[in-house]
Amino acid sequence: MSKQKIVHPDRDAAFVTGAYSDGVIAGGFLFISGQASVDFKTSTFILGSIEEETNRTMENIKSIVQAAGATMDDVIKSTVHLSNIDDFSRFNNVYARFFGDVKPARTTVQSVLGEGICVEIDCIVKLPDTHENE
């Protein structure tokens, strides 16, 4: 099985966030690494309210999903890390707006997150059939 690296389309080549890819396509799926409230054009974390950080994080995920040739309706699973579980309802209100009627399966936990961020989200995406053999 081959793997293909997917990079956020706005990522500055000099912006190194860790020893991982933004996304990897394998076996007809896109696996997106944990994303946060990052401005990839300026290579900076953008801290704010849970709503602001969730929106930017989801926009980053959407950009990676689209770069791989899929849509947010193709997201089948996500894992969400919140720095404060008391933010759950406020987070959920923003998160839900990114999906249609059938929301992805999801796990949400409270975690200690780096860089002072409020939320980190990773996803698994079932790609359109054109990626079946990748």
Side-chain angles (χ1 to χ4, degrees):
M1 170 180 64
S2 66
K3 296 189 299 185
Q4 177 186 349
K5 179 179 178 177
I6 300 295
V7 177
H8 188 289
D10 293 333
R11 179 182 280 279
D12 180 331
F15 184 40
V16 178
T17 51
Y20 57 87
S21 300
D22 294 338
V24 173
I25 294 175
F29 291 89
L30 168 64
F31 300 88
I32 299 177
S33 295
Q35 297 298 309
S37 183
V38 173
D39 181 340
F40 282 100
K41 291 179 181 176
T42 62
S43 306
T44 57
F45 288 91
I46 307 297
L47 304 183
S49 68
I50 187 64
E51 293 90 350
E52 292 166 333
E53 287 194 32
T54 300
N55 189 70
R56 182 176 290 275
T57 299
M58 293 302 295
E59 288 292 343
N60 284 338
I61 289 169
K62 184 177 176 182
S63 292
I64 295 167
V65 167
Q66 290 173 339
T71 71
M72 293 299 281
D73 287 336
D74 297 314
V75 176
I76 58 172
K77 171 73 170 88
S78 67
T79 303
V80 176
H81 297 266
L82 298 175
S83 64
N84 183 349
I85 201 69
D86 293 337
D87 289 337
F88 180 83
S89 342
R90 292 168 47 215
F91 151 78
N92 202 50
N93 288 335
V94 175
Y95 174 91
R97 293 193 299 246
F98 283 84
F99 301 103
D101 291 337
V102 179
K103 309 292 190 265
R106 183 179 82 194
T107 302
T108 304
V109 297
Q110 180 169 307
S111 299
V112 176
L113 300 174
E115 306 294 334
I117 60 175
C118 296
V119 60
E120 182 174 344
I121 304 170
D122 66 72
C123 297
I124 300 172
V125 181
K126 175 65 176 98
L127 295 172
D129 291 338
T130 56
H131 292 298
E132 286 295 324
N133 295 320
E134 291 182 20

